Amino acid sequence: MRRRTTAQALAQRSRIVLECADGHSIMEVSRRLRVTADTVRTWRRRFLERGLDGLSDEPRPGVPRKITDADVERVIVKTLEEKPKNATHWSTRSMAAATGMSQSAISRIWRAFALAPHRSQTFKLSTDPLFIDKVRDVVGLYLDPPEKALVLCVDEKSQIQALDRSQPVLPMVPGVPERRSHDYVRAGTTTLFAALEVATGKVIGSLHRRHRAVEFKKFLAKLDKEVPADLDVHLILDNYVTHKTPAVKQWLLAHPRFRLHFTPTSSSWLNLVERWFAELTQKKLKRGVHRSVQALERDIRTWLADWNEHPRPFIWTKTADEILDKVAAYCRRISDSGH
């Protein structure tokens, strides 16, 4: 009776039983709970006969079932194994027309079996032959970083566009969100090189108009200048060709405290700096209006300085074994899809 999740009808019947158990008469219980005497007699009798089971509603026959198990199976098989002739996926109306059933019946079947033909998601499985080794290497740096060393997640956010709307942005007013024109004018692009400190969340950034090995080498020199000389530097970065040019390799040989750790191919989700790029995009770039590349770069530098005043590290929680087990389970699920 006191449980918050109990249905009100069941709680009322429980009160009737408890009042009767306290010795009150049927008429007195009827008056105290504001129900009819017949209601009290019914639930008192059913409790005496069947106990707690007697307080539940009896099965109600309702309308006879019209959709058979074979009909349900036919809809599911058709949804999973066939496509309509004039579309890429089924809708409730097209499936209803193809099966001779009602649209509401198709909707109920799809909900019961968690089928949603209108939805689509993307995926990308890495084909890197060293996928397992690289995952263990990178995740090991996140969960157990080496002593007297700094772990930096490095990447480039290239082709950041300075976009100016063709008409002024209309500010938000009560009942109407901020509005901007759908078309825009491009003023140019810039590239942000960023290194995220895993331990503190601070970011070392550098802006360049081009995205080449020359600019990446300049960024490495900046990191060498800003990181204390007594610390080793472990860089986590992707397999972009500018990271592996002869000039970069020569620079790394001249600076042995820098050690590179590459993420697997098509696995940028393993690099924590990508999460920081998402923050920058969502909070500054996505809805920003810039009439020149200089204005865009100025806003990025200001946002970067504000971030470093109150940095927030991104905490990695998954172990390498958990990641590999999840990838293996997904591969087993799609093993019959030609992968």
Side-chain angles (χ1 to χ4, degrees), residues 67 75 91-97 99-112:
I67 300 176
V75 171
S91 67
T92 53
R93 290 179 177 84
S94 61
M95 180 60 73
T99 58
M101 301 169 63
S102 67
Q103 179 185 354
S104 59
I106 299 297
S107 180
R108 287 195 300 270
I109 294 173
W110 281 356
R111 283 198 303 268

Side-chain angles (χ1 to χ4, degrees), residues 9 12-14 16-17 20 25-27 29-30 35-58 60:
Q12 180 77 308
R13 298 162 192 172
S14 301
I16 293 173
V17 172
C20 294
S25 65
I26 291 178
M27 297 306 298
V29 173
S30 172
V35 295
T36 63
D38 289 340
T39 299
V40 177
R41 292 189 186 95
T42 298
W43 295 113
R44 179 177 180 274
R45 173 178 51 78
R46 289 183 56 172
F47 179 77
L48 292 175
E49 293 175 353
R50 291 185 288 172
L52 290 176
D53 293 337
L55 300 183
S56 301
D57 289 323
E58 294 181 348
R60 300 177 182 179

Side-chain angles (χ1 to χ4, degrees), residues 268-334:
S268 59
W269 50 268
L270 203 56
N271 197 334
L272 277 179
V273 75
E274 295 291 348
R275 184 63 191 86
W276 184 81
F277 282 151
E279 288 284 311
L280 171 63
T281 301
Q282 187 67 27
K283 296 183 178 180
K284 193 63 180 179
L285 302 179
K286 187 176 181 180
R287 293 167 58 174
V289 177
H290 303 95
R291 296 183 177 180
S292 65
V293 177
Q294 291 82 359
L296 171 63
E297 293 178 341
R298 185 167 53 251
D299 275 358
I300 293 176
R301 290 190 181 98
T302 301
W303 196 86
L304 178 60
D306 292 340
W307 174 275
N308 286 332
E309 287 183 3
H310 305 284
R312 299 180 298 277
F314 300 103
I315 307 301
W316 192 273
T317 58
K318 292 287 186 180
T319 65
D321 289 336
E322 290 175 333
I323 295 173
L324 296 174
D325 289 343
K326 192 169 184 179
V327 173
Y330 185 72
C331 289
R332 286 192 295 269
R333 286 184 58 190
I334 65 174

Side-chain angles (χ1 to χ4, degrees), residues 60-283:
R60 300 177 182 179
V63 179
R65 181 183 178 186
K66 297 180 180 179
I67 300 176
T68 64
D69 292 342
D71 294 331
V72 174
E73 181 182 2
R74 182 161 55 95
V75 171
I76 296 174
V77 171
K78 200 173 188 64
T79 303
L80 296 177
E81 299 181 2
E82 300 180 20
K83 289 185 178 181
K85 295 181 179 180
N86 59 347
T88 59
H89 58 278
W90 292 103
S91 67
T92 53
R93 290 179 177 84
S94 61
M95 180 60 73
T99 58
M101 301 169 63
S102 67
Q103 179 185 354
S104 59
I106 299 297
S107 180
R108 287 195 300 270
I109 294 173
W110 281 356
R111 283 198 303 268
F113 290 89
L115 295 174
H118 64 285
R119 297 183 59 188
S120 176
Q121 296 180 346
T122 59
F123 80 101
K124 179 69 173 181
L125 291 178
S126 176
T127 57
D128 196 319
L130 300 177
F131 177 78
I132 295 177
D133 296 334
K134 290 181 178 180
V135 168
R136 294 191 183 278
D137 181 31
V138 174
V139 175
L141 288 175
Y142 290 153
L143 300 181
D144 188 19
E147 296 181 358
K148 295 183 179 180
L150 191 66
V151 179
L152 297 176
C153 296
V154 177
D155 202 359
E156 303 89 12
K157 186 172 180 60
S158 60
Q159 300 296 315
I160 306 176
Q161 298 188 81
L163 301 179
D164 183 22
R165 299 293 166 178
S166 59
Q167 298 179 8
V169 176
L170 300 180
M172 176 181 60
V173 296
V176 180
E178 180 184 88
R179 292 178 291 177
R180 54 177 47 80
S181 60
H182 69 279
D183 55 342
Y184 48 81
V185 179
R186 293 187 179 93
T189 62
T190 188
T191 295
L192 172 63
F193 291 77
L196 171 70
E197 294 184 18
V198 175
T200 63
K202 292 183 178 180
V203 177
I204 302 173
S206 180
L207 288 165
H208 299 275
R209 297 297 174 86
R210 302 187 67 178
H211 184 202
R212 302 172 300 173
V214 175
E215 285 75 25
F216 180 66
K217 186 177 175 181
K218 292 179 180 179
F219 183 60
L220 291 177
K222 182 176 182 179
L223 295 179
D224 185 40
K225 182 179 179 180
E226 296 196 14
V227 176
D230 59 332
L231 294 178
D232 291 335
V233 183
H234 294 264
L235 301 182
I236 299 174
L237 65 170
D238 59 22
N239 295 273
Y240 193 59
V241 66
T242 58
H243 302 157
K244 302 177 180 181
T245 60
V248 172
K249 292 180 179 179
Q250 291 179 3
W251 189 93
L252 292 172
L253 290 175
H255 300 78
R257 70 174 182 144
F258 280 78
R259 303 176 186 178
L260 270 57
H261 304 263
F262 293 100
T263 60
T265 305
S266 304
S267 300
S268 59
W269 50 268
L270 203 56
N271 197 334
L272 277 179
V273 75
E274 295 291 348
R275 184 63 191 86
W276 184 81
F277 282 151
E279 288 284 311
L280 171 63
T281 301
Q282 187 67 27
K283 296 183 178 180

